[in-house]
Amino acid sequence: MPTPPLTALPVRRLTHRDLTACADLSEDRGWPREEHKWGLLLSAGKGYGIDDPEGGLVSACVVTEYGPYGHPSLGAIGMVLVAERHARQGIGRRLMRHVVALMGTTPLTLHATPNGRPLYEELGFKTTGRAEMVRGYFTPGERASGVATRPATAEDLTSILRLDEEVFGIDRTHVITRLPAFADQLRVAEEEGRIIGYAAAWPNMDTQVVGPLIARDTETAQALLASLAAHTDRPLRTDIDVRHEELLAWVKAQGLEPVAHNAVMTYGITKLPGDWRRRFAPLTVAAG
């Protein structure tokens, strides 16, 4: 029997058993392997992929759903990858069409690179924002912040979840409760015993990725970033909503350099829910 075209191969759900194949696919496209991040996404979200008849994966992506279980209010699509040898053959389009159809009327969001943006536009996604990735060794400024920060404790989790839902606009308990095990650092900002912001820093190759970064205002976001930097000897990396011009200017003054811009795109909604003024950086661009 003739071999069916790759675009006709079935899409299947991925599991933790596929983690190595997902990391191989990342490496194939020149990305870091990012097993740690893949592990989080495959446990907190739903992975989809197309098997290569010769072994491994032809394509993969992950959808992280937020809101009521079984009736999500938002789906974040990330890690959309196609093996280099099968690129530009319509496989990514097939996988994305499958996922969009599966999600039905659930609004969707994703961060798109310049290369991926045309495909997403073809599928009906609209650019509704931008994020700038910055990276580098953080050099603390001379003036200390007046905002108090400290390591989060188990007793803080309820307050963190409440603040996160208020700012993100949708419940994401199943993701945030994984942060203590996933992140190297989880810190909160406090005022008179009340949590006014929180941030995590998690390992990704030789860097610490800062995210999520939720804060009452820019000064609080700065204090959280500075406190995370003070407790690691690795360079920091984060993706900041470009509307936070003051924070972006500040991190660049502290030694972080611009790396890339991504388009924040949505499908089925004209803007993301929640309060962008207090949402400075996502957990990861793959999960929103």
Side-chain angles (χ1 to χ4, degrees):
M1 293 181 62
T3 303
L6 291 173
T7 50
L9 292 174
V11 177
R12 69 169 176 88
R13 278 287 302 274
L14 301 177
T15 71
H16 259 272
R17 291 190 297 274
D18 297 299
L19 196 151
T20 298
C22 290
D24 289 345
L25 191 57
S26 291
E27 193 171 51
D28 175 76
R29 292 314 304 255
W31 290 19
R33 290 183 62 82
E34 299 187 308
E35 284 104 332
H36 188 60
K37 182 167 76 173
W38 273 112
L40 174 74
L41 295 171
L42 289 172
S43 59
K46 297 176 179 177
Y48 297 93
I50 298 173
D51 288 314
D52 189 331
E54 298 179 11
L57 291 168
V58 170
S59 184
C61 74
V62 178
V63 183
T64 309
E65 298 178 356
Y66 299 115
Y69 182 77
H71 302 280
S73 307
L74 181 70
I77 299 175
M79 308 301 280
V80 181
L81 287 165
V82 177
E84 178 66 39
R85 63 193 178 281
H86 299 305
R88 294 169 293 280
Q89 296 178 32
I91 297 164
R93 182 180 293 103
R94 158 140 169 72
L95 182 60
M96 281 295 299
R97 285 192 188 281
H98 179 88
V99 169
V100 169
L102 270 182
M103 296 300 290
T105 59
T106 302
L108 303 172
T109 184
L110 54 79
H111 283 65
T113 63
N115 286 340
R117 187 171 162 181
L119 168 60
Y120 304 131
E121 288 176 338
E122 179 187 321
L123 295 171
F125 285 81
K126 307 290 185 187
T127 298
T128 53
R130 285 194 312 142
E132 183 172 358
M133 181 191 292
V134 290
R135 183 189 186 281
Y137 284 98
F138 181 94
T139 305
E142 294 179 5
R143 185 175 67 86
S145 169
V147 178
T149 69
R150 61 170 174 79
T153 67
E155 288 72 29
D156 295 320
L157 191 55
T158 299
S159 297
I160 288 172
L161 288 169
R162 188 182 304 122
L163 175 63
D164 187 81
E165 182 172 358
E166 182 184 318
V167 174
F168 192 74
I170 302 173
D171 175 47
R172 52 177 181 171
T173 296
H174 67 299
V175 174
I176 302 306
T177 51
R178 285 177 162 88
L179 281 179
F182 176 72
D184 287 340
Q185 299 186 64
L186 181 60
R187 298 184 67 88
V188 296
E190 252 184 341
E191 183 181 75
E192 297 178 353
R194 185 172 61 91
I195 291 176
I196 57 173
Y198 84 94
W202 47 274
N204 189 271
M205 310 309 289
D206 64 335
T207 66
Q208 289 256 292
V209 177
V210 175
L213 176 54
I214 300 285
R216 180 180 64 184
D217 49 32
T218 300
E219 184 184 12
T220 305
Q222 290 172 347
L224 284 164
L225 263 166
S227 67
L228 291 170
H231 292 86
T232 182
D233 57 2
R234 294 185 183 188
L236 298 184
R237 199 186 88 202
T238 191
D239 297 85
I240 298 173
D241 186 320
V242 297
R243 290 172 290 187
H244 291 296
E245 297 176 1
E246 186 180 350
L247 183 65
L248 274 169
W250 179 79
V251 296
K252 291 171 185 176
Q254 311 308 129
L256 275 64
E257 298 181 352
V259 176
H261 280 87
N262 285 330
V264 180
M265 307 187 79
T266 56
Y267 179 94
I269 46 173
T270 56
K271 65 176 183 178
L272 290 172
D275 181 4
W276 73 265
R277 291 171 182 81
R278 290 183 286 164
R279 187 174 59 230
F280 288 83
L283 165 60
T284 161
V285 295

